[in-house]
Amino acid sequence: MPNPKAFKLLEERFSMMVKTFNHANVSDTDSDDHYWTVRDRLDLGRVALERAPEFQVSTLARSLGDIYRAVRKNLTPDELKRWEESNEALEELHDKYGL
């Protein structure tokens, strides 16, 4: 289990992304695509935080910047590629709706 405070921060950030996106007038297909893309990023974030030695101390609160650095540092090259591709997909969806 990763640092619960760090994971909660990441989870809240991604949850807010989904809520914000779904408040716009988006199609059901795009809404589903957005949700599953965010969900994949959250799963990758969990994996990275479990591997990150700096997040083994469960009492330390971290910033989102620290969390994103740990994600990039602790994912395998294939996982990092998925992380980056999902970010691009989210940016395209947000641009499509002007978010």
Side-chain angles (χ1 to χ4, degrees):
M1 175 71 181
N3 176 315
K5 291 180 182 179
F7 183 72
K8 185 167 178 63
L9 251 167
L10 188 64
E11 190 175 41
E12 287 171 354
R13 167 73 172 115
F14 287 159
S15 175
M16 185 57 67
M17 286 177 68
V18 170
K19 288 177 187 174
T20 301
F21 187 79
N22 286 331
H23 273 83
N25 189 18
V26 300
S27 72
D28 290 341
T29 302
D30 286 343
S31 178
D32 289 347
D33 289 347
H34 187 271
Y35 172 81
W36 290 111
T37 303
V38 169
R39 182 67 191 189
D40 186 45
R41 284 177 65 85
L42 184 60
D43 291 342
L44 287 169
R46 177 184 298 120
V47 167
L49 290 175
E50 287 173 350
R51 294 178 187 154
E54 64 269 30
F55 284 94
Q56 297 308 310
V57 179
S58 63
T59 58
L60 295 177
R62 301 288 182 160
S63 71
L64 274 173
D66 291 336
I67 293 167
Y68 282 113
R69 269 189 297 284
V71 166
R72 293 182 189 287
K73 188 172 137 186
N74 291 287
L75 290 177
T76 66
D78 288 340
E79 291 168 336
L80 187 57
K81 182 179 177 189
R82 269 181 44 213
W83 176 267
E84 294 297 332
E85 288 172 348
S86 64
N87 187 53
E88 290 172 14
L90 290 174
E91 285 179 2
E92 287 176 16
L93 283 170
H94 287 200
D95 289 347
K96 179 177 179 180
Y97 292 100
L99 301 174

Short mmCIF file of all heavy atoms in Angstrom, two decimals, residues 6 15 20 22 27 30 32 39 53-54 57 63 75 82 92-93 96:
data_model
loop_
_atom_site.label_atom_id
_atom_site.label_comp_id
_atom_site.label_asym_id
_atom_site.label_seq_id
_atom_site.Cartn_x
_atom_site.Cartn_y
_atom_site.Cartn_z
N ALA A 6 -0.54 10.46 0.27
CA ALA A 6 -0.10 10.77 -1.09
C ALA A 6 -1.09 10.20 -2.10
O ALA A 6 -1.47 10.88 -3.06
CB ALA A 6 1.30 10.22 -1.35
N SER A 15 -10.15 12.60 -9.41
CA SER A 15 -11.60 12.67 -9.23
C SER A 15 -12.13 14.03 -9.66
O SER A 15 -13.17 14.13 -10.33
CB SER A 15 -11.95 12.40 -7.76
OG SER A 15 -13.32 12.57 -7.55
N THR A 20 -15.02 17.71 -13.28
CA THR A 20 -14.96 18.92 -14.11
C THR A 20 -15.30 18.60 -15.55
O THR A 20 -16.08 19.31 -16.19
CB THR A 20 -13.56 19.56 -14.02
OG1 THR A 20 -13.28 19.87 -12.66
CG2 THR A 20 -13.47 20.81 -14.86
N ASN A 22 -17.07 16.10 -16.73
CA ASN A 22 -18.46 15.68 -16.89
C ASN A 22 -19.46 16.81 -16.66
O ASN A 22 -20.63 16.67 -16.99
CB ASN A 22 -18.77 14.48 -16.01
CG ASN A 22 -18.14 13.22 -16.54
OD1 ASN A 22 -17.95 13.08 -17.75
ND2 ASN A 22 -17.80 12.30 -15.66
N SER A 27 -20.14 14.22 -24.79
CA SER A 27 -20.86 13.02 -25.25
C SER A 27 -20.61 11.87 -24.27
O SER A 27 -19.62 11.88 -23.52
CB SER A 27 -20.39 12.62 -26.64
OG SER A 27 -19.07 12.07 -26.59
N ASP A 30 -17.25 10.18 -25.03
CA ASP A 30 -16.10 10.92 -24.53
C ASP A 30 -16.02 10.87 -23.01
O ASP A 30 -14.94 10.80 -22.43
CB ASP A 30 -16.12 12.37 -25.01
CG ASP A 30 -15.76 12.50 -26.48
OD1 ASP A 30 -15.18 11.54 -27.04
OD2 ASP A 30 -16.04 13.55 -27.07
N ASP A 32 -17.03 8.39 -21.10
CA ASP A 32 -16.50 7.06 -20.76
C ASP A 32 -15.01 6.98 -21.04
O ASP A 32 -14.24 6.46 -20.22
CB ASP A 32 -17.23 5.97 -21.54
CG ASP A 32 -18.65 5.76 -21.06
OD1 ASP A 32 -19.01 6.27 -19.99
OD2 ASP A 32 -19.41 5.08 -21.79
N ARG A 39 -8.78 6.66 -14.93
CA ARG A 39 -8.68 5.47 -14.08
C ARG A 39 -7.35 4.74 -14.32
O ARG A 39 -6.70 4.28 -13.37
CB ARG A 39 -9.86 4.54 -14.36
CG ARG A 39 -9.92 3.32 -13.54
CD ARG A 39 -10.19 3.64 -12.12
NE ARG A 39 -9.98 2.42 -11.35
CZ ARG A 39 -10.28 2.30 -10.11
NH1 ARG A 39 -10.82 3.30 -9.46
NH2 ARG A 39 -10.06 1.19 -9.48
N PRO A 53 10.50 4.56 -2.79
CA PRO A 53 10.97 4.45 -1.41
C PRO A 53 10.66 5.70 -0.58
O PRO A 53 10.42 5.59 0.62
CB PRO A 53 12.48 4.25 -1.54
CG PRO A 53 12.83 4.62 -2.93
CD PRO A 53 11.58 4.53 -3.75
N GLU A 54 10.62 6.86 -1.23
CA GLU A 54 10.34 8.09 -0.48
C GLU A 54 8.90 8.16 0.02
O GLU A 54 8.56 8.99 0.85
CB GLU A 54 10.70 9.33 -1.31
CG GLU A 54 9.87 9.51 -2.56
CD GLU A 54 10.46 8.86 -3.81
OE1 GLU A 54 11.14 7.82 -3.69
OE2 GLU A 54 10.21 9.37 -4.90
N VAL A 57 7.13 6.06 4.04
CA VAL A 57 6.77 6.64 5.34
C VAL A 57 5.35 7.16 5.22
O VAL A 57 5.09 8.13 4.51
CB VAL A 57 7.74 7.79 5.72
CG1 VAL A 57 7.35 8.38 7.06
CG2 VAL A 57 9.16 7.27 5.74
N SER A 63 3.38 16.86 -1.68
CA SER A 63 2.69 17.73 -2.64
C SER A 63 2.42 16.94 -3.91
O SER A 63 3.03 15.90 -4.15
CB SER A 63 3.55 18.95 -2.95
OG SER A 63 4.67 18.57 -3.73
N LEU A 75 8.03 4.37 -12.60
CA LEU A 75 7.33 3.53 -13.57
C LEU A 75 8.35 2.92 -14.53
O LEU A 75 9.39 3.51 -14.80
CB LEU A 75 6.32 4.35 -14.38
CG LEU A 75 5.09 4.84 -13.63
CD1 LEU A 75 4.23 5.71 -14.55
CD2 LEU A 75 4.27 3.69 -13.07
N ARG A 82 2.66 4.62 -21.31
CA ARG A 82 1.20 4.63 -21.12
C ARG A 82 0.76 5.89 -20.39
O ARG A 82 -0.27 6.50 -20.72
CB ARG A 82 0.75 3.41 -20.31
CG ARG A 82 0.40 2.24 -21.14
CD ARG A 82 -0.07 1.04 -20.36
NE ARG A 82 -1.01 1.30 -19.28
CZ ARG A 82 -1.04 0.57 -18.16
NH1 ARG A 82 -0.20 -0.42 -17.95
NH2 ARG A 82 -1.94 0.83 -17.23
N GLU A 92 -6.29 16.08 -25.40
CA GLU A 92 -7.10 16.16 -26.62
C GLU A 92 -8.59 16.27 -26.28
O GLU A 92 -9.31 17.06 -26.89
CB GLU A 92 -6.85 14.95 -27.51
CG GLU A 92 -5.51 14.97 -28.21
CD GLU A 92 -5.24 13.71 -29.01
OE1 GLU A 92 -6.19 12.95 -29.29
OE2 GLU A 92 -4.06 13.48 -29.36
N LEU A 93 -9.05 15.47 -25.32
CA LEU A 93 -10.45 15.54 -24.92
C LEU A 93 -10.77 16.90 -24.31
O LEU A 93 -11.82 17.49 -24.59
CB LEU A 93 -10.78 14.43 -23.92
CG LEU A 93 -10.98 13.04 -24.51
CD1 LEU A 93 -11.07 11.99 -23.41
CD2 LEU A 93 -12.24 13.00 -25.38
N LYS A 96 -10.94 19.47 -27.04
CA LYS A 96 -12.15 19.29 -27.85
C LYS A 96 -13.33 20.06 -27.27
O LYS A 96 -14.14 20.61 -28.00
CB LYS A 96 -12.47 17.80 -27.92
CG LYS A 96 -13.70 17.46 -28.72
CD LYS A 96 -13.91 15.96 -28.79
CE LYS A 96 -15.16 15.59 -29.56
NZ LYS A 96 -15.33 14.12 -29.62
#
